[in-house]
Amino acid sequence: MDAILVTGGAGFIGVNLCLRLLGEGHKVVCVDNLFSSSINNIKHLINHSNFIFFQEDILNFNKNIVVDGIYNLACPASPKQYQKDPIYTLKTNIYGANNVLQLAQRLNIPILQASTSEVYGDPLEHPQVEEYKGNVNCIGVRSCYDEGKRAAETLCMDYRRMYGTNTKIVRIFNTYGPFMSEDDGRVVSNFIVKALKNEPLEIYGDGKQTRSFCYVDDLVEGLIRAANQEFDSGPINLGNDQEYTMLELANKIINITNSRSNIEFKPLPQDDPKKRKPCIQKAKQLLGWKPKVGLNDGLQKTIEYFKNL
Ligand code: NAD
Ligand code: UDP
C-alpha cells in the first residue's frame, strides 16, 4: 500500500481524488488549510483508517512525513477565490509549490503538479496544444493565478533539470462535478444553484465565450494515469474537447432542471478568455486517456449532487 500526499485534498478535485485513492487501498495524507473549501467536504473521510488530515498551509508545511508520491493541488481555483487575496494566491503557487517540490526531492518521490489551461491566457491559438506558449496578461486581475501557475511549471521543470526530481505537469481544463462549492462563483455551480432555485442565471458578457467542460471522474482518471505512467517531462493537457458557449450551457442547465429561470446579462470580467478548448492528442497517446462522460450525463450527476446538499 502506497502512501500518497494530496495537497488541496479538501477542495473540489482533491476530495474526488482522495476518494478514488482510498478506494484503491492507498493511504492518503491530505494537507489543506480550507482557504477555498469546507471541512464538510471531507467529514465523511475523517474517520477512514487510511485517511490523515492536516489542516495546514503548504506555505508553512514542514511535517516530517514519509510518503511515496505527491499530487500538488493546493491553490484556490475559481476567479472569485483566487482574486480574494491575489498576493496569497501567487505565494501559494510559488513558495507553496517550492515547499512541496523540496519534499519530493528529499524523499526522491514523484510529484504531479496541477497546472491549468489558464497558462494559455486568452488564447490566440485554438484548440490549445501544449506547445502553444500562451497570451497571458502579467498585470491583470487573473495574473496572480495565471502567472503563479506558469511559475510553478517553471519550478517543476527546474527541479527536474537541477535535481532529477520526477516532476509531472498536467494542465487541467474547466472541470465540474460533485463537491464543487456552491458559492465559489464557477459557471457550472452558479448556473445549477440558480436554476434549482428558479432564479435568473447571470451570463457575463454576451455569452458567446466558450469553455470545454470535463466531468471530474474523467479528470481524476487522467490525474492517476499521469502520476503512474512514465512520459517525457513536458506538460499534458487534461480536459474534454467538446466546446460550448456559456449561452448553450445556461440553456442546457435550464432544460435539464426544468427550471423557470431566465437569463440576465452582466458585465464581462477583465481578461475573461474568449475561447478555450484543449487538444488532448498527447494525453490520448501517452496516457491512453480520453474523457468518457458527455456534458448532459455529467450535468445530470452534478445536478443530483446539488439537489441533495
Ligand atoms: P478548490 O479551490 O476547490 O480546491 C483547492 C484546495 O486547495 C482548497 O481545498 C483550498 O483550501 C486548498 N488550498 C489553497 N491554498 C492552500 C494553501 N496555501 N495551503 C493548503 N491548502 C490550500 O479548487 P479545485 O477546483 O479543486 O482545484 C484543484 C487544483 O486544480 C488547483 O490547483 C487548481 O488550480 C487546479 N485546476 C482546477 C481546475 C478546475 O476546473 N477545477 C482547472 C484548472 C486547474
Ligand atoms: N460566467 C458566467 N456566469 C457566471 C459565472 C461565470 O457567465 O455566473 C462565465 C465567465 O465569465 C467565464 C465562463 O463563464 O467566461 C467560465 O467561468 P469560470 O469562472 O467557471 O471559469 P474560468 O473563467 O476560470 O474558465
Side-chain angles (χ1 to χ4, degrees):
M1 177 179 66
D2 283 350
I4 313 287
L5 170 62
V6 181
T7 75
F12 155 52
I13 296 175
V15 184
N16 284 283
L17 176 63
C18 290
L19 278 167
R20 169 79 186 264
L21 292 171
L22 289 167
E24 288 178 357
H26 296 287
K27 195 179 202 101
V28 173
V29 181
C30 168
V31 175
D32 198 306
N33 65 351
L34 306 178
F35 179 86
S36 57
S37 59
S38 154
I39 192 74
N40 287 335
N41 264 3
I42 51 166
K43 65 172 189 265
H44 55 297
L45 297 179
I46 292 288
N47 292 326
H48 194 294
S49 54
N50 282 338
F51 186 76
I52 303 170
F53 175 53
F54 293 110
Q55 186 173 341
E56 294 216 21
D57 193 319
I58 59 161
L59 287 171
N60 314 315
F61 186 70
N62 60 3
K63 290 260 179 323
N64 208 4
I65 55 166
V66 177
V67 287
D68 304 293
I70 304 175
Y71 292 84
N72 185 34
L73 270 54
C75 174
S78 78
K80 179 175 160 189
Q81 290 289 359
Y82 70 64
Q83 289 168 19
K84 210 163 63 180
D85 184 345
I87 296 173
Y88 180 73
T89 299
L90 195 58
K91 281 185 181 166
T92 293
N93 272 314
I94 300 178
Y95 300 128
N98 187 57
N99 262 349
V100 184
L101 280 159
Q102 271 178 0
L103 180 67
Q105 181 210 353
R106 181 163 57 78
L107 297 177
N108 195 20
I109 55 169
I111 173 166
L112 181 132
Q113 167 65 15
S115 191
T116 168
S117 52
E118 285 282 325
V119 300
Y120 302 119
D122 188 6
L124 304 176
E125 281 188 21
H126 197 70
Q128 290 77 57
V129 292
E130 287 85 350
E131 290 72 29
Y132 177 49
K133 294 196 171 61
N135 176 37
V136 177
N137 177 5
C138 68
I139 54 169
V141 294
R142 295 174 87 100
S143 313
C144 58
Y145 184 73
D146 299 11
E147 296 291 10
K149 288 285 185 183
R150 285 168 72 94
E153 288 199 9
T154 309
L155 276 171
C156 288
M157 297 305 290
D158 284 334
Y159 267 81
R160 177 176 275 268
R161 285 185 283 258
M162 281 186 74
Y163 306 118
T165 311
N166 186 359
T167 58
K168 293 172 179 178
I169 301 167
V170 292
R171 292 180 178 157
I172 302 170
F173 284 63
N174 297 66
T175 299
Y176 68 100
F179 296 106
M180 288 185 96
S181 146
E182 274 183 287
D183 61 355
D184 74 1
R186 283 186 259 209
V187 69
V188 173
S189 42
N190 269 7
F191 284 0
I192 292 177
V193 169
K194 298 276 172 132
L196 290 176
K197 293 182 184 160
N198 295 308
E199 290 174 3
L201 275 56
E202 294 181 345
I203 287 192
Y204 307 153
D206 61 10
K208 291 188 184 139
Q209 71 269 40
T210 67
R211 296 292 187 272
S212 308
F213 297 101
C214 185
Y215 188 65
V216 68
D217 287 356
D218 282 335
L219 193 267
V220 165
E221 175 66 31
L223 295 180
I224 287 178
R225 286 189 189 216
N228 290 309
Q229 290 178 29
E230 282 312 315
F231 58 89
D232 76 333
S233 59
I236 297 188
N237 289 339
L238 288 181
N240 193 310
D241 55 3
Q242 300 294 304
E243 186 182 7
Y244 296 89
T245 66
M246 294 312 100
L247 261 175
E248 287 169 331
L249 178 72
N251 284 318
K252 227 178 224 310
I253 290 175
I254 288 174
N255 285 337
I256 300 176
T257 52
N258 281 321
S259 172
R260 295 190 303 280
S261 296
N262 54 16
I263 289 175
E264 285 180 358
F265 291 89
K266 298 278 167 178
L268 190 68
Q270 190 196 355
D271 290 336
D272 200 281
K274 287 180 261 320
K275 50 186 186 289
R276 182 180 291 153
K277 166 170 133 162
C279 169
I280 51 172
Q281 272 312 108
K282 198 170 171 187
K284 282 181 180 165
Q285 276 163 11
L286 295 179
L287 308 178
W289 175 88
K290 65 173 185 203
K292 293 188 179 136
V293 183
L295 188 57
N296 283 341
D297 289 348
L299 286 176
Q300 293 275 13
K301 293 172 200 249
T302 311
I303 288 164
E304 276 315 300
Y305 169 79
F306 279 107
K307 272 187 186 165
N308 292 326
L309 271 190

